[in-house]
Amino acid sequence: MEGYKNPLSEGLRLQKSAEPCTVIIFGASGDLTKRKLVPALYSLAQQNLVASGFSVVGTARTPMSHEAFRTAMSDALKEFAETGVDSTVLENFIAGLYYCATDPGDSKSYDNLAALLDQIDRDRGTSGNRLFYLSTPPSLYGPIVAQLGAHGQNKDEKGGWRRIIIEKPFGRDLESAKQLNRDCLKVFQEDQLYRIDHYLGKETVQNVMVLRFANGIFEPLWNRQFIQHVQITAAESIGVENRGGYYETSGAFRDMIQNHLMQVMTLVAMEPPVAMDANSIRDEKTKVTRAIREFTIDQVDQFAVRGQYGEGAVGGKKAIGYCQEQGVNPNSNTETYAALKVLIDNSRWADVPFYLRSGKRLPRRVSEIAIQFRRPPHPLFRQTRRAGDLDPNFLIIRVQPDEGISLKFGAKLPGQAVNIRTVNMDFLYGTSFSKRSPEAYERLLLDGMLGDSTLFARGDMVERSWELVMPVIEKWKEPAKNFPNYAAGEWGPKEADDFLERESRRWRKP
């Protein structure tokens, strides 16, 4: 029908280039800038996804000239750019890099920044379009936002757009998250605020919606009638490395469960959106958090478990315990392993638990979504050898490494007897597609420039997620009596195994 638009396709992003703009990185002297942000921006330039006048301004307290910043970022690209460095692209990209030293509490330094940005608009045709990126300690988010507002950087009278990306953690508890939201909304509108969660930029996580809503074989099974439970895992084999000071104030629960894994869970559990636009998708994700069963501080042990690694071995190499790490209190009460049971009280997921877990110094680095299906109602092959030991059916969505999807099911072994073995049906990004999967920051930075907030967290959802986990945070202020309770190289503490075994389930060993 002429003029008909399918509402499910409206807002569906097709690849397109960003218009001329300037990205301003606060905290440009930090590791994230040289390892992730600048390489991601360079990759976008390499793919012609940014306009010719595209510019980047780095800013931090450290005094530095434009040339010194360009040299430092050129060296970083040669070390960290995944796609390698093309001399012509690099030359054009580096020419658009600038630096301006700013102090969050010094108003005059923001005058200097504003003057530089105006000059870039005139010289490079960026039309007042500015994307601010806060890659600083969270304590500086509020002061930087206030200064940007005081210096008129939240809007452009000539029609250019202004947006701001704020790195996690967005608050450290419910009250601080609410206060940060209030501070930001005094200066920027909600549609200008982009609360980043780099997990949502990962290609496999984005594929969850496609897997569900573009395939008729999965969506009819995506409910309590066919799914027994869901496990979402983010395991790391490394320790805290040189981030001991940060980790002491965060811990595994704040660092991974409250934000990354909760966000991924809402993608798995959400209802089909009415359209593929940012607000429709984020509405459905927020509805999931509103349906999550709340619990009190007295019930925390029924819903959460924590652990801390001691000495052990990972990959055949000796590893020290968490309390021996640099920057860590020798008597630390900080958890390096956390697991949370989530129950969603709606008609799709009633009585289907979602288990979220994350830990340091586990046997391997792996992130996955594992969906276990219910066993057949009638055990037809109960007399068959090995049938009683047959694994249940799993749909595994591997986020990292070896991104892909695997379906585990039972098949008959060749031969006269009926013997059953679990086999895998695998899809791997690396072998199925000829192009590389973009880094998460590539997608998210480009989305910020395009004004697409689909993969960013909305303020009400951030506050709701903090509200849900506050009993755990309050309870875990009490000293743990058994830390460390798992050795480096193990899949977490025995308490985590008991956590599932009391419900006749067990953790997957990826």
Side-chain angles (χ1 to χ4, degrees):
M1 183 185 301
E2 188 175 353
Y4 172 75
K5 291 184 178 180
N6 182 350
L8 287 178
S9 66
E10 290 188 24
L12 190 62
R13 201 196 90 175
L14 301 176
Q15 182 166 310
K16 56 184 179 180
S17 300
E19 58 189 321
C21 65
T22 302
V23 175
I24 303 96
I25 302 173
F26 285 85
S29 59
D31 269 2
L32 183 65
T33 298
K34 68 179 182 180
R35 289 176 178 269
K36 295 292 184 182
L37 300 183
V38 168
L41 293 170
Y42 171 79
S43 179
L44 294 175
Q46 202 172 32
Q47 299 169 69
N48 296 315
L49 293 174
V50 292
S52 58
F54 173 73
S55 306
V56 178
V57 174
T59 179
R61 286 191 175 100
T62 308
M64 195 184 307
S65 67
H66 298 321
E67 285 306 316
F69 182 63
R70 289 166 182 162
T71 299
M73 293 303 103
S74 179
D75 292 342
L77 287 171
K78 291 171 184 175
E79 183 176 358
F80 298 112
E82 286 201 349
T83 55
V85 173
D86 177 277
S87 58
T88 302
V89 177
L90 179 63
E91 182 179 352
N92 293 331
F93 179 77
I94 292 297
L97 267 65
Y98 302 84
Y99 187 84
C100 180
T102 57
D103 184 322
D106 178 16
S107 178
K108 181 173 174 48
S109 64
Y110 285 84
D111 290 332
N112 297 336
L113 176 61
L116 174 61
L117 294 175
D118 289 342
Q119 183 65 46
I120 291 171
D121 283 342
R122 293 190 292 270
D123 293 347
R124 295 180 62 84
T126 47
S127 305
N129 297 324
R130 295 169 190 173
L131 177 64
F132 299 96
Y133 195 111
L134 303 194
S135 177
T136 66
S139 60
L140 299 181
Y141 294 165
I144 291 173
V145 168
Q147 289 283 9
L148 290 175
H151 290 78
Q153 294 302 310
N154 56 332
K155 55 187 175 182
D156 180 31
E157 302 299 336
K158 297 179 181 178
W161 51 258
R162 305 290 168 90
R163 302 178 189 124
I164 184 167
I165 295 178
I166 300 178
E167 265 286 350
K168 69 100 174 174
F170 196 89
R172 57 174 286 103
D173 54 27
L174 177 59
E175 186 49 48
S176 60
K178 285 183 173 179
Q179 184 61 53
L180 183 53
N181 267 333
R182 287 192 291 266
D183 292 343
C184 290
L185 290 170
K186 289 177 185 175
V187 178
F188 292 94
Q189 301 295 318
E190 177 63 40
D191 61 5
Q192 295 176 283
L193 286 170
Y194 289 68
R195 302 167 187 84
I196 197 169
D197 187 329
H198 73 268
Y199 250 62
L200 297 186
K202 294 181 182 295
E203 194 72 28
T204 319
V205 173
Q206 295 173 49
N207 207 32
V208 171
M209 284 195 294
V210 176
L211 179 73
R212 287 186 58 184
F213 304 133
N215 297 287
I217 62 173
F218 292 118
E219 182 59 17
L221 308 180
W222 216 268
N223 55 61
R224 66 185 303 273
Q225 184 177 353
F226 297 100
I227 293 176
Q228 193 217 45
H229 76 276
V230 179
Q231 296 181 24
I232 303 177
T233 299
E236 295 183 87
S237 58
I238 60 171
V240 295
E241 296 185 301
N242 60 350
R243 299 172 69 233
Y246 162 75
Y247 209 81
E248 276 288 89
T249 64
S250 171
F253 195 80
R254 282 188 176 96
D255 191 45
M256 294 296 296
I257 302 288
Q258 181 273 332
N259 42 65
H260 295 325
L261 299 194
M262 189 79 77
Q263 287 280 343
V264 172
M265 185 203 72
T266 60
L267 280 175
V268 176
M270 64 186 273
E271 294 297 317
V274 296
M276 290 301 292
D277 61 62
N279 276 333
S280 297
I281 292 170
R282 298 200 295 179
D283 281 346
E284 297 304 331
K285 291 171 63 181
T286 303
K287 287 178 186 177
V288 173
T289 63
R290 289 174 180 161
I292 291 175
R293 185 181 301 176
E294 298 181 9
F295 52 88
T296 67
I297 194 170
D298 295 330
Q299 297 173 309
V300 165
D301 290 344
Q302 300 173 38
F303 287 88
V305 65
R306 58 178 164 168
Q308 185 188 94
Y309 66 83
E311 295 181 1
V314 180
K317 296 182 180 179
K318 186 177 179 181
I320 60 175
Y322 174 72
C323 288
Q324 286 76 54
E325 299 276 11
Q326 183 178 356
V328 172
N329 182 343
N331 300 308
S332 176
N333 189 54
T334 301
E335 78 284 354
T336 62
Y337 177 101
L340 179 69
K341 173 185 173 181
V342 176
L343 294 172
I344 302 171
D345 291 331
N346 61 21
S347 58
R348 183 184 289 267
W349 297 113
D351 301 322
V352 176
F354 285 69
Y355 298 102
L356 319 182
R357 64 169 170 168
S358 181
K360 296 278 191 184
R361 286 296 188 201
L362 302 184
R364 60 174 300 208
R365 172 180 173 263
V366 59
S367 295
E368 68 170 31
I369 304 162
I371 298 164
Q372 180 177 322
F373 292 94
R374 296 189 183 279
R375 296 183 183 273
H378 176 58
L380 187 62
F381 296 98
R382 61 182 177 274
Q383 301 301 323
T384 302
R385 184 164 61 91
R386 291 216 52 191
D389 301 327
L390 193 66
D391 289 335
N393 299 136
F394 269 101
L395 180 66
I396 312 296
I397 303 170
R398 291 188 299 277
V399 178
Q400 65 182 16
D402 304 325
E403 294 91 339
I405 300 169
S406 180
L407 182 63
K408 293 181 175 291
F409 58 94
K412 178 185 174 297
L413 281 166
Q416 299 300 322
V418 179
N419 290 317
I420 303 173
R421 191 177 75 183
T422 298
V423 295
N424 295 337
M425 185 181 294
D426 287 326
F427 152 68
L428 296 172
Y429 274 87
T431 56
S432 296
F433 300 119
S434 58
K435 59 187 297 185
R436 62 177 277 272
S437 295
E439 276 287 305
Y441 282 101
E442 291 179 38
R443 171 66 190 262
L444 295 170
L445 283 163
L446 182 58
D447 280 0
M449 288 183 266
L450 293 172
D452 183 348
S453 57
T454 304
L455 299 177
F456 295 84
R458 201 166 62 190
D460 55 348
M461 182 177 176
V462 170
E463 291 184 11
R464 175 59 177 163
S465 65
W466 277 117
E467 182 180 24
L468 289 166
V469 303
M470 282 308 298
V472 179
I473 290 172
E474 292 297 326
K475 177 72 172 179
W476 287 1
K477 288 179 181 178
E478 301 173 7
K481 299 177 181 178
N482 58 347
F483 278 2
N485 59 356
Y486 71 98
E490 295 180 350
W491 279 108
K494 182 180 182 300
E495 289 85 348
D497 293 333
D498 297 341
F499 188 60
L500 259 68
E501 285 174 4
R502 68 191 182 205
E503 299 180 356
S504 300
R505 300 185 177 102
R506 61 184 180 181
W507 294 109
R508 266 181 45 82
K509 299 290 192 297

